[in-house]
Amino acid sequence: MNKATRKTVIAGNWKMNKTPAEGAELLTSMIPLVKDADCDVIACVPFVDLYAAQEATKGTNIKIGAENCHWAESGAFTGEISAQMLSAMGIEYVIIGHSERRQYFGETDVTVNKRVKAALKAGLTVILCVGEYLEQREQGVTAEVCAMQTKIALGGVTAEEMERIIIAYEPVWAIGTGLTATADQADEVCGIIRDVIAGLYNAEVAEATTIQYGGSMNDGNAEELLSKVNVDGGLIGGASLVAEKFAKIVSAASK
Ligand code: PEP
């Protein structure tokens, strides 16, 4: 298997943006623009937008995902949403371990692992985010940081379950900052993560795993980033909130 046979996935991460009505409007304008995509197209939206987003995209090629889930099936976790709840409403995807969750909400590699396992158990496909801080890149430990995050997050995940894991390499310094990793930097770290997966499982699993780049990917830089052999798609924040920009990224991924 190689890049040509791996699934290319373009996923939007709306973060804490859009009311249900605004979200439905955005998706409605996106539908005709991405309908011929030759890649998977996902919109990960706030919990309260999920239902409206599903309704708006029924019968289209846009799939809907959540931005997080808890590790317990149910219980005394005020304000949380379980993977089972998402799965029960027909949601297929969930982002786990986004750097904003790690940075602002105390997410650790251990809780990321618990959430990943819960999501897989509930039948969801996980978009697992890993990435280094700027200081870590400057200290030359990017490979170690991404390897460690990947290894801990995937603890207890079987080779079979890896079919439902997408990894998003997201250097923290590039998220929402307008700074983008160069295409070579993105390719290098996605390749390092692929080697980590080969070590944890085997070459076949590593070759089959979709590894996205995320961090200020936009309609201007997507084509170069996505041309790289180890970059199998993108996780898109800001540019996923503008239908035309997101659609151009989808087009770049479909070439
Ligand atoms: C993200 O939120 O995952 C992200 C990559 O954001 P942005 O594209 O805005 O940098």
Side-chain angles (χ1 to χ4, degrees):
M1 193 174 274
N2 57 34
K3 183 177 166 90
T5 48
R6 275 196 295 273
K7 227 182 241 177
T8 301
V9 180
I10 299 296
N13 171 21
W14 290 6
K15 312 190 191 214
M16 196 174 72
N17 292 295
K18 303 290 176 191
T19 64
E22 289 167 348
E25 194 183 328
L26 172 60
L27 288 163
T28 302
S29 56
M30 243 173 225
I31 290 166
L33 306 180
V34 303
K35 71 176 180 6
D36 298 322
D38 190 18
C39 63
D40 285 3
V41 182
I42 306 169
C44 295
V45 309
F47 290 128
V48 295
D49 292 359
L50 287 170
Y51 180 71
Q54 279 179 313
E55 289 294 303
T57 53
K58 244 182 210 157
T60 77
N61 61 331
I62 303 180
K63 296 165 186 169
I64 302 301
E67 299 176 11
N68 190 25
C69 68
H70 197 263
W71 56 81
E73 287 185 19
S74 61
F77 299 102
T78 304
E80 292 292 317
I81 300 286
S82 75
Q84 273 74 13
M85 290 170 175
L86 297 174
S87 162
M89 68 177 291
I91 294 300
E92 289 174 76
Y93 294 88
V94 63
I95 296 174
I96 294 180
H98 192 278
S99 66
E100 286 153 14
R101 302 276 339 152
R102 296 177 191 254
Q103 225 175 329
Y104 307 130
F105 302 103
E107 196 79 72
T108 66
D109 290 329
V110 171
T111 57
V112 167
N113 173 246
K114 288 165 81 166
R115 291 179 207 268
V116 166
K117 286 192 288 192
L120 291 172
K121 189 172 170 209
L124 302 175
T125 293
V126 172
I127 300 176
L128 165 65
C129 302
V130 301
E132 81 286 0
Y133 285 101
L134 184 58
E135 305 76 55
Q136 293 170 324
R137 174 163 283 272
E138 287 169 351
Q139 286 160 356
V141 294
T142 297
E144 286 91 337
V145 168
C146 294
M148 182 184 71
Q149 290 180 358
T150 304
K151 284 182 187 173
I152 298 176
L154 295 178
V157 173
T158 66
E160 200 184 22
E161 288 172 326
M162 282 300 291
E163 286 172 18
R164 287 187 290 121
I165 296 278
I166 294 165
I167 297 187
Y169 164 54
E170 297 212 310
V172 181
W173 49 270
I175 297 178
T177 57
L179 294 174
T180 318
T182 64
D184 286 338
Q185 285 171 328
D187 191 43
E188 182 191 14
V189 184
C190 289
I192 289 168
I193 294 168
R194 200 176 303 288
D195 289 344
V196 169
I197 296 169
L200 288 174
Y201 301 94
N202 54 50
E204 203 185 322
V205 170
E207 279 303 310
T209 301
T210 294
I211 304 180
Q212 303 172 310
Y213 167 78
S216 300
M217 191 187 273
N218 58 44
D219 47 327
N221 59 27
E223 192 165 342
E224 193 189 355
L225 286 160
L226 293 167
S227 73
K228 292 294 174 179
V229 71
N230 277 302
V231 180
D232 307 315
L235 182 56
I236 325 292
S240 72
L241 297 170
V242 182
E244 293 72 21
K245 288 188 182 178
F246 187 67
K248 280 188 186 155
I249 299 172
V250 169
S251 297
S254 301
K255 281 186 183 157

